[in-house]
Amino acid sequence: QVQLVESGGGLVQAGGSLTLSCLAFGLTLSSLAMGWFRLAPGKQREFVATINWSGISTYYAVSVKGRFNVSRDNAKNTLYLQMNSLKPEDTAVYYCAAPRTQGILGRTRSDYAYWGQGTQVTVSS
Protein backbone atom coordinates (compact mmCIF):
# COMPACT_ATOMS: atom_id res chain seq x y z
CA GLN A 1 0.00 0.00 0.00
CA VAL A 2 2.09 2.88 -1.35
CA GLN A 3 0.74 6.41 -1.36
CA LEU A 4 2.36 9.69 -2.34
CA VAL A 5 0.44 12.75 -1.20
CA GLU A 6 1.22 16.17 -2.67
CA SER A 7 0.23 19.41 -0.99
CA GLY A 8 0.99 23.12 -1.13
CA GLY A 9 -0.60 24.06 -4.43
CA GLY A 10 -2.78 27.08 -4.90
CA LEU A 11 -3.36 30.32 -6.75
CA VAL A 12 -0.47 32.76 -6.96
CA GLN A 13 0.28 35.89 -8.96
CA ALA A 14 3.04 35.85 -11.55
CA GLY A 15 6.38 36.45 -9.87
CA GLY A 16 5.27 34.83 -6.65
CA SER A 17 6.42 31.67 -4.91
CA LEU A 18 5.00 28.38 -3.70
CA THR A 19 6.52 25.34 -2.03
CA LEU A 20 5.06 21.91 -2.74
CA SER A 21 5.44 18.90 -0.48
CA CYS A 22 5.17 15.18 -1.18
CA LEU A 23 4.69 12.90 1.81
CA ALA A 24 5.15 9.17 1.25
CA PHE A 25 3.28 6.35 2.97
CA GLY A 26 4.20 2.68 2.71
CA LEU A 27 7.50 3.53 1.04
CA THR A 28 10.80 4.62 2.54
CA LEU A 29 12.31 7.38 0.42
CA SER A 30 15.79 7.44 1.94
CA SER A 31 17.26 5.11 -0.69
CA LEU A 32 15.29 6.38 -3.69
CA ALA A 33 15.79 8.96 -6.37
CA MET A 34 12.61 11.01 -6.73
CA GLY A 35 11.00 13.18 -9.37
CA TRP A 36 8.54 15.99 -9.98
CA PHE A 37 6.38 16.22 -13.10
CA ARG A 38 3.57 18.50 -14.18
CA LEU A 39 0.56 18.26 -16.46
CA ALA A 40 -1.00 21.32 -18.01
CA PRO A 41 -4.38 21.28 -19.81
CA GLY A 42 -4.01 20.07 -23.38
CA LYS A 43 -0.36 19.14 -22.92
CA GLN A 44 1.63 15.99 -22.21
CA ARG A 45 3.13 15.24 -18.84
CA GLU A 46 6.35 17.23 -18.51
CA PHE A 47 9.45 16.51 -16.46
CA VAL A 48 10.29 19.21 -13.91
CA ALA A 49 13.04 18.04 -11.55
CA THR A 50 14.69 14.99 -10.02
CA ILE A 51 16.90 14.38 -6.98
CA ASN A 52 19.06 11.49 -5.88
CA TRP A 53 18.62 9.53 -2.66
CA SER A 54 20.75 11.84 -0.50
CA GLY A 55 19.87 15.15 -2.14
CA ILE A 56 23.41 15.83 -3.33
CA SER A 57 22.54 15.48 -7.04
CA THR A 58 19.70 17.24 -8.85
CA TYR A 59 18.59 17.85 -12.41
CA TYR A 60 16.05 20.34 -13.76
CA ALA A 61 14.13 20.98 -16.91
CA VAL A 62 15.51 23.97 -18.79
CA SER A 63 12.17 25.73 -18.41
CA VAL A 64 12.45 25.84 -14.59
CA LYS A 65 16.21 25.91 -14.00
CA GLY A 66 17.21 28.83 -11.82
CA ARG A 67 13.66 29.30 -10.55
CA PHE A 68 12.77 25.95 -8.93
CA ASN A 69 14.63 24.01 -6.26
CA VAL A 70 14.03 20.37 -5.40
CA SER A 71 15.02 19.10 -1.96
CA ARG A 72 14.19 16.33 0.46
CA ASP A 73 14.04 15.50 4.16
CA ASN A 74 14.47 11.76 4.44
CA ALA A 75 13.85 11.83 8.20
CA LYS A 76 10.35 13.12 7.40
CA ASN A 77 9.96 10.88 4.34
CA THR A 78 9.14 14.02 2.38
CA LEU A 79 10.09 15.56 -0.95
CA TYR A 80 9.83 19.30 -1.68
CA LEU A 81 9.68 21.59 -4.68
CA GLN A 82 10.32 25.26 -4.03
CA MET A 83 9.00 27.35 -6.92
CA ASN A 84 10.05 30.97 -7.32
CA SER A 85 9.46 33.64 -9.96
CA LEU A 86 6.39 31.77 -11.11
CA LYS A 87 5.03 32.35 -14.60
CA PRO A 88 1.57 31.68 -16.05
CA GLU A 89 3.22 28.92 -18.12
CA ASP A 90 3.90 27.08 -14.84
CA THR A 91 0.17 26.54 -14.33
CA ALA A 92 -0.38 22.77 -14.10
CA VAL A 93 -1.12 19.87 -11.81
CA TYR A 94 2.15 18.89 -10.16
CA TYR A 95 2.94 15.26 -9.34
CA CYS A 96 5.68 13.63 -7.32
CA ALA A 97 6.97 10.25 -8.41
CA ALA A 98 9.00 7.38 -6.95
CA PRO A 99 10.63 4.29 -8.46
CA ARG A 100 10.23 0.76 -7.11
CA THR A 101 13.92 0.57 -6.21
CA GLN A 102 16.89 2.96 -6.00
CA GLY A 103 16.30 4.48 -9.43
CA ILE A 104 18.18 6.90 -11.62
CA LEU A 105 17.69 10.65 -11.97
CA GLY A 106 14.80 9.81 -14.23
CA ARG A 107 13.33 12.30 -16.68
CA THR A 108 10.59 10.21 -18.25
CA ARG A 109 7.35 8.73 -16.97
CA SER A 110 8.65 5.18 -17.44
CA ASP A 111 11.44 5.80 -14.92
CA TYR A 112 8.90 5.86 -12.09
CA ALA A 113 6.45 3.37 -10.63
CA TYR A 114 4.47 5.34 -8.03
CA TRP A 115 2.63 8.61 -8.49
CA GLY A 116 0.71 10.95 -6.26
CA GLN A 117 -2.72 12.40 -7.02
CA GLY A 118 -1.27 15.79 -7.82
CA THR A 119 -1.70 19.32 -6.52
CA GLN A 120 -2.98 22.21 -8.63
CA VAL A 121 -0.78 25.26 -9.16
CA THR A 122 -2.38 28.22 -10.90
CA VAL A 123 -0.33 31.30 -11.75
CA SER A 124 -2.29 34.37 -12.75
CA SER A 125 -1.00 37.09 -15.04
Side-chain angles (χ1 to χ4, degrees):
Q1 185 77 0
V2 174
Q3 290 187 17
L4 302 176
V5 182
E6 301 96 337
S7 62
L11 176 64
V12 64
Q13 189 172 333
S17 299
L18 285 173
T19 298
L20 308 182
S21 299
C22 173
L23 179 61
F25 300 88
L27 185 70
T28 300
L29 301 187
S30 60
S31 66
L32 303 178
M34 298 288 292
W36 285 100
F37 290 75
R38 63 188 182 184
L39 181 63
K43 296 185 178 181
Q44 297 184 42
R45 191 176 304 229
E46 177 188 20
F47 166 76
V48 176
T50 184
I51 185 169
N52 85 320
W53 68 272
S54 69
I56 197 168
S57 297
T58 59
Y59 190 86
Y60 298 89
V62 172
S63 59
V64 307
K65 189 177 296 182
R67 299 188 298 119
F68 290 14
N69 182 57
V70 61
S71 62
R72 64 196 300 159
D73 187 339
N74 286 336
K76 297 180 179 179
N77 219 36
T78 302
L79 180 72
Y80 302 97
L81 183 68
Q82 181 181 332
M83 305 183 295
N84 303 306
S85 301
L86 283 162
K87 305 174 181 179
E89 304 95 278
D90 296 317
T91 295
V93 177
Y94 284 71
Y95 300 88
C96 66
R100 291 186 181 89
T101 60
Q102 186 67 45
I104 60 172
L105 295 177
R107 304 164 197 173
T108 66
R109 185 177 181 181
S110 62
D111 292 318
Y112 299 94
Y114 304 109
W115 297 82
Q117 295 298 309
T119 185
Q120 176 71 49
V121 173
T122 302
V123 184
S124 65
S125 60

